[in-house]
Amino acid sequence: MSNQTTALPTPEQFNALVRARRSIQPLQFEPGRVVPDEVVRELLENANWAPTHKRTEPWRFVVFTGAGLQRLATFQSELYRSWAGASVDEKKAQKLAQNPLLASHVIAIGLKRHHILPEIEEVEAVACAVQNLHLSAVTHGLGGYWGSGGITYMEAAKPFFGLDKEDQLLGFFYLGYVQNAPGRNIRKPIEEKVTWVRE
């Protein structure tokens, strides 16, 4: 048996990774360039190692790629049109029909409900899983974007993604190669958001 341990990133390397993460819109992806499925599987495996209270592992992912992107695009644009009726926003409908086609993969983000825990704890676990996924994407030079608009909170969308009534659809993670270098990210100083209690 080997005594070698897994080499961990240095604090400096990890700091650089976290601060390099950006939300990259699908319009910023390289058209037609496809991420290998084995890379996507690696990202999902890292997502699977997120913290989870009582080990419920509530995250569920449906991965769309190839012709599956058109299937997703058609489903969500038609569901939105049906839901909106006479009040349909054509610009929004077109965006729903086109955005998936700009990505290499679109990952639907689901929450499988476990009633032994408050729902908020399950949401928090799924969010940690998505952060793992997104940071992993950065290490591969990929762009990622977690969108929660469109059909995300429509009850009628759930069955399409294998979710039951008590489950939640929490949005879509768009994945692709970045066409242009992402811009500078900005955060307000941490001192504005932290209170220290020392006595």
Side-chain angles (χ1 to χ4, degrees):
M1 179 182 286
S2 172
N3 290 327
Q4 291 182 338
T5 57
T6 302
L8 295 175
T10 66
E12 293 78 13
Q13 290 170 330
F14 185 74
N15 292 345
L17 169 62
V18 169
R19 295 170 197 181
R21 190 211 58 80
R22 301 284 188 279
S23 291
I24 307 294
Q25 300 277 346
L27 281 169
Q28 297 173 270
F29 295 159
E30 284 189 38
R33 190 172 175 196
V34 179
V35 178
D37 284 348
E38 56 268 26
V39 172
V40 179
R41 287 190 192 96
E42 180 183 307
L43 270 53
L44 293 168
E45 180 63 35
N46 288 344
N48 196 43
W49 284 87
T52 166
H53 192 190
K54 295 193 180 293
R55 297 185 180 177
T56 59
E57 302 179 28
W59 43 83
R60 296 294 184 274
F61 302 112
V62 180
V63 184
F64 296 88
T65 191
L69 294 169
Q70 183 62 66
R71 185 174 173 192
L72 172 62
T74 300
F75 171 76
Q76 66 178 11
S77 60
E78 289 181 355
L79 178 60
Y80 165 70
R81 286 181 181 280
S82 173
W83 173 84
S87 302
V88 66
D89 178 338
E90 278 300 327
K91 187 175 179 182
K92 183 173 183 177
Q94 285 300 315
K95 188 175 179 181
L96 290 170
Q98 294 169 357
N99 265 4
L101 308 181
L102 301 175
S104 167
H105 293 69
V106 179
I107 304 170
I109 303 163
L111 180 156
K112 189 70 176 172
R113 188 76 173 93
H114 300 86
H115 292 282
I116 59 173
L117 294 173
E119 185 178 53
I120 186 62
E121 295 194 12
E122 302 283 67
V123 173
E124 291 160 351
V126 174
C128 287
V130 176
Q131 178 75 340
N132 280 5
L133 190 159
H134 204 162
L135 291 175
S136 300
V138 174
T139 67
H140 284 276
L142 301 173
Y145 175 71
W146 183 2
S148 58
I151 65 168
T152 296
Y153 302 118
M154 295 182 186
E155 284 294 318
K158 291 180 182 179
F160 185 79
F161 303 100
L163 298 169
D164 295 327
K165 185 173 179 59
E166 68 271 20
D167 302 332
Q168 296 295 332
L169 179 62
L170 297 179
F172 302 89
F173 192 83
Y174 291 79
L175 186 66
Y177 286 98
V178 183
Q179 186 167 220
N180 300 308
R184 180 169 161 261
N185 211 347
I186 299 172
R187 290 291 186 273
K188 293 178 182 176
I190 190 62
E191 290 77 13
E192 295 180 14
K193 306 163 190 172
V194 176
T195 302
W196 293 75
V197 181
R198 297 189 184 276
E199 56 182 58

